[in-house]
C-alpha cells in the first residue's frame, strides 16, 4: 500500500503542482541556521522532489539544485514547470548521485516514503563531510479550532487514530525547528489541495467527492466570502554529518 500511495501522485501531478502550498522564507532561514551555511552556491539535491515546489524555492535562494524524483507524472510536471532545474530519476533508497557531491540533501514532505535502513546510508554517502540532511513536513495547524475540527473529520472518514509517525527509527542526531505561517486562498483551492493527498488519490473519485462536497458546505458557513485562512506549521529536522 505504501508504494501504491507514493506513486498515486503521478496521475494528479498537475493538480498537485497547482494546489499544494509552498513554504515560507523563514523555513529556508532555519535550514541555513541549522545546517551552518548559506544556501547560496550550495550543492543541493532535493529528493522526492515531486513537481518542484521546494526545488524552485531552493533555486531562488541561490542553491545549485538537482532534483531526484521516481514518478513519471511528477517528473514530467517538474520539467514543464521548472525547465531550468535538472531532475534525475531515482529515490532516496538509491540516489543516482556521486559520493561526497553535496552540501545539502533535502526531503520536503518525502522522507516518510523511504526505508531509513537504506536512505540514511545513502544520505551519508552523497553528502560531503560537514554536509547536512534536512527533512521537513508542512501540516495544517491543529491549534486553530476550525482546522482541528476538520482534522477530526478527516481522521473519522479514513479511520485514522494517533499522530503520523515520521521518525521511522532512523537514529539520526537532529536539531528541530517549527516554523508557523499562513496563506489566504479560495475555498475551492483549499478543497482541491486536500484532494491531492495520497489517501484521497487511492480512495477514488466517488468517495473523494463525497467528502469534499460535505466539507464545502461546512466551510461555507465559516467562510461565507469563499476565502479560507489556512494556518500551517512546518516541522524541520536537520542532521549535520
Amino acid at each position: 500500500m505504501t508504494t501504491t500511495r507514493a506513486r498515486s501522485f503521478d496521475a494528479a501531478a498537475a493538480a498537485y503542482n497547482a494546489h499544494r502550498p509552498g513554504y515560507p522564507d523563514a523555513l529556508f532561514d532555519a535550514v541555513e541556521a541549522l545546517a551552518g551555511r548559506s544556501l547560496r552556491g550550495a550543492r543541493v539535491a532535493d529528493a522526492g522532489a515531486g513537481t518542484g515546489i521546494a526545488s524552485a524555492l531552493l533555486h531562488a535562494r541561490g542553491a545549485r539544485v538537482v532534483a531526484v524524483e521516481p514518478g513519471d507524472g511528477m517528473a514530467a510536471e517538474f520539467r514543464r514547470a521548472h525547465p531550468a532545474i535538472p531532475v534525475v530519476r531515482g529515490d532516496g533508497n538509491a540516489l543516482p548521485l556521486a559520493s561526497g557531491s553535496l552540501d545539502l540533501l533535502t526531503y520536503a514532505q518525502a522522507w516518510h516514503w523511504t526505508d531509513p535502513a537504506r536512505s540514511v546510508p545513502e544520505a551519508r554517502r552523497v553528502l560531503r563531510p560537514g554536509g547536512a540532511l534536512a527533512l521537513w513536513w508542512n501540516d495544517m495547524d491543529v491549534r486553530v479550532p476550525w482546522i482541528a475540527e476538520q482534522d477530526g473529520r478527516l481522521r473519522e472518514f479514513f479511520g485514522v487514530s494517533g499522530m503520523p509517525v515520521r521518525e521511522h527509527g532512523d537514529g539520526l542526531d537532529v536539531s528541530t525547528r517549527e516554523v508557523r505561517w499562513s496563506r489566504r486562498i479560495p475555498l475551492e483551492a483549499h478543497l482541491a489541495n486536500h484532494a491531492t493527498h495520497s489517501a484521497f488519490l487511492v480512495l477514488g473519485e466517488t468517495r473523494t467527492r463525497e467528502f469534499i462536497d460535505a466539507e464545502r458546505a461546512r466551510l461555507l458557513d465559516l467562510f461565507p466570502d469563499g476565502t479560507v485562512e489556512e494556518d500551517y506549521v512546518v516541522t524541520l529536522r536537520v542532521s549535520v554529518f
Side-chain angles (χ1 to χ4, degrees), residues 210-231:
E210 173 188 329
F211 182 88
I212 295 299
D213 288 348
E215 200 64 13
R216 178 184 295 107
R218 291 187 185 96
L219 294 183
L220 276 172
D221 287 339
L222 289 175
F223 305 103
D225 67 349
T227 300
V228 177
E229 177 85 24
E230 293 182 334
D231 290 88

Side-chain angles (χ1 to χ4, degrees), residues 84-172:
I85 304 175
V87 55
V88 297
R89 304 302 298 280
D91 62 48
N93 296 327
L95 292 165
L97 304 169
S99 298
S101 61
L102 300 177
D103 299 305
L104 180 68
L105 175 62
T106 64
Y107 283 83
Q109 309 276 112
W111 181 251
H112 53 284
W113 299 119
T114 74
D115 172 8
R118 300 169 65 191
S119 56
V120 171
E122 277 292 88
R124 294 187 185 280
R125 180 183 66 80
V126 300
L127 286 165
R128 64 166 179 79
L133 172 66
L135 322 173
W136 66 82
W137 290 268
N138 195 31
D139 297 301
M140 293 193 70
D141 191 346
V142 294
R143 298 178 310 165
V144 177
W146 78 265
I147 293 175
E149 291 169 3
Q150 182 181 76
D151 182 69
R153 291 191 294 271
L154 285 162
R155 289 174 179 276
E156 182 178 358
F157 187 73
F158 287 107
V160 173
S161 62
M163 297 299 292
V165 177
R166 288 163 173 175
E167 308 300 319
H168 277 319
D170 50 39
L172 294 169

